[in-house]
Amino acid sequence: MTASFPVRIRLVRDGASIPRYATAGAAACDLTAAVEQPILLKAGESVSIPTGIAISMEQSGYVAIICARSGLAFRHGLNLVNGIGVIDEDYRGEICVGLRNNSSADYVIQPGERIAQMMFMPYVQASFIAADSLDDTERGEGGFGSTGKF
């Protein structure tokens, strides 16, 4: 059985809809474009799309993560401008989705179109400790590609 917890949702503009899970086993719910008219997203450009919703997670220690929809990304080159979106548990404003068209073709976002996904995850906050040195590891300071290709 999938765990769940209550999330209060407020529709803050016309055209907004409550997010839905596409299937019983979906980890993320779909967010839709709460726009009155189609929006032309030209190749190479970015735009902020309102979802028309604001949320309040009823349990502390959770974050909402906004992710790209794989179909839009693969078929049309639409990605989130910041890779993923982070909706902190204390944010109460409208959730907007920054989309970038990384393809060579323009794309039209339709009112009510599913534009992104939102999942909820627990988080922890770190307690930072200033240090003059760190413990040694096998990898050490090896950076990008240091562990090999295979």
Side-chain angles (χ1 to χ4, degrees), residues 39-49 67-69 71-84 96-109 115-116:
I39 295 176
L40 175 63
L41 181 50
K42 293 185 177 183
E45 291 189 348
S46 300
V47 66
S48 178
I49 306 293
C67 305
R69 294 197 66 234
L72 286 178
F74 185 75
R75 292 186 191 102
H76 304 287
L78 299 188
N79 303 105
L80 272 67
V81 295
N82 56 341
I84 65 165
C96 293
V97 176
L99 288 179
R100 178 160 180 81
N101 185 345
N102 290 312
S103 77
S104 58
D106 295 347
Y107 185 84
V108 177
I109 298 165
I115 57 168

Side-chain angles (χ1 to χ4, degrees), residues 26-98:
C29 57
D30 291 319
L31 297 177
T32 59
V35 295
E36 294 179 10
Q37 302 293 325
I39 295 176
L40 175 63
L41 181 50
K42 293 185 177 183
E45 291 189 348
S46 300
V47 66
S48 178
I49 306 293
T51 66
I53 65 168
I55 63 172
S56 172
M57 293 169 260
E58 296 296 292
Q59 256 179 277
S60 63
Y62 283 84
V63 61
I65 302 292
I66 310 300
C67 305
R69 294 197 66 234
S70 57
L72 286 178
F74 185 75
R75 292 186 191 102
H76 304 287
L78 299 188
N79 303 105
L80 272 67
V81 295
N82 56 341
I84 65 165
V86 174
I87 309 300
D88 294 311
E89 70 176 65
D90 57 353
Y91 177 67
R92 296 297 182 269
E94 180 179 15
I95 295 173
C96 293
V97 176

